[in-house]
Amino acid sequence: MKLTILFCLVLVFLFSACCTTRESTQVSEMDTLTQENDDLELNFKLFLVEKYRPGNCYGMPDPDPFYYQNSDKDTLLQRIKSLLPGRDDSEYMLLTQMTRGIKLQKTGNGAYEFEFSDGQCCTVYHYKGVVEMKAGIIEDNVIEKTSETVPC
């Protein structure tokens, strides 16, 4: 009788360890896919930032009304530093702030719709378009560009 109970406990232990390992593997795979997706989105945003330099006129309203105090604990700042090594800290701060102003929405087939405002002095341009990876190269297509005059 004791041997049967011991045998059942061993089976339960092995079964639970097997299931736990499988769930952990699935979670780990999902984390990896999520991280890859986040990196792709961040690369798209950095591409748009480098090309259009949104929100870079002194005195223009930032797309996000909250001022971010960038610190070494800021995960977005750390991710940008890892993707673009060797830049000045002030440029990392600027890139982080501009990246936060770009909205991305996945549309399918690896493409994303983007939207942001380019805060050049006196005239603000609003961009809407699509950004995607083609043969390892990031390409964007502006679908709509509107402008408004603001006080200088």
Side-chain angles (χ1 to χ4, degrees):
M1 178 73 166
K2 289 182 183 181
L3 188 57
T4 304
I5 292 173
L6 182 60
F7 180 73
C8 288
L9 288 174
V10 169
L11 285 177
V12 167
F13 175 75
L14 291 174
F15 179 74
S16 65
C18 173
C19 292
T20 302
T21 303
R22 180 162 172 76
E23 287 177 13
S24 298
T25 302
Q26 288 174 344
V27 169
S28 177
E29 289 170 0
M30 289 301 292
D31 288 345
T32 301
L33 290 174
T34 300
Q35 183 63 40
E36 288 173 4
N37 189 48
D38 289 348
D39 287 346
L40 180 64
E41 289 182 16
L42 181 56
N43 277 313
F44 284 161
K45 285 183 175 186
L46 289 171
F47 169 82
L48 294 169
V49 162
E50 292 287 333
K51 184 171 181 179
Y52 297 99
R53 304 301 282 186
N56 62 350
C57 179
Y58 178 77
M60 288 302 307
D62 188 274
D64 191 333
F66 299 104
Y67 175 74
Y68 288 95
Q69 291 288 340
N70 295 318
S71 71
D72 288 336
K73 295 179 182 177
D74 185 337
T75 56
L76 178 59
L77 177 65
Q78 294 305 317
R79 288 176 54 216
I80 290 173
K81 282 184 175 184
S82 71
L83 291 172
L84 301 172
R87 299 199 181 191
D88 187 63
D89 283 343
S90 62
E91 187 171 0
Y92 286 127
M93 300 296 183
L94 183 62
L95 289 170
T96 302
Q97 188 173 7
M98 287 191 284
T99 300
R100 284 190 169 108
I102 297 175
K103 297 176 189 171
L104 285 181
Q105 179 67 43
K106 190 170 186 170
T107 60
N109 296 328
Y112 288 78
E113 290 179 351
F114 66 82
E115 184 177 342
F116 64 89
S117 295
D118 182 7
Q120 300 296 326
C121 295
C122 303
T123 303
V124 177
Y125 296 97
H126 304 282
Y127 293 87
K128 291 183 182 180
V130 176
V131 64
E132 61 188 322
M133 183 84 70
K134 290 185 177 177
I137 299 172
I138 299 175
E139 296 181 2
D140 72 310
N141 180 27
V142 175
I143 296 169
E144 180 182 341
K145 180 181 176 183
T146 59
S147 65
E148 65 178 304
T149 302
V150 296
C152 296

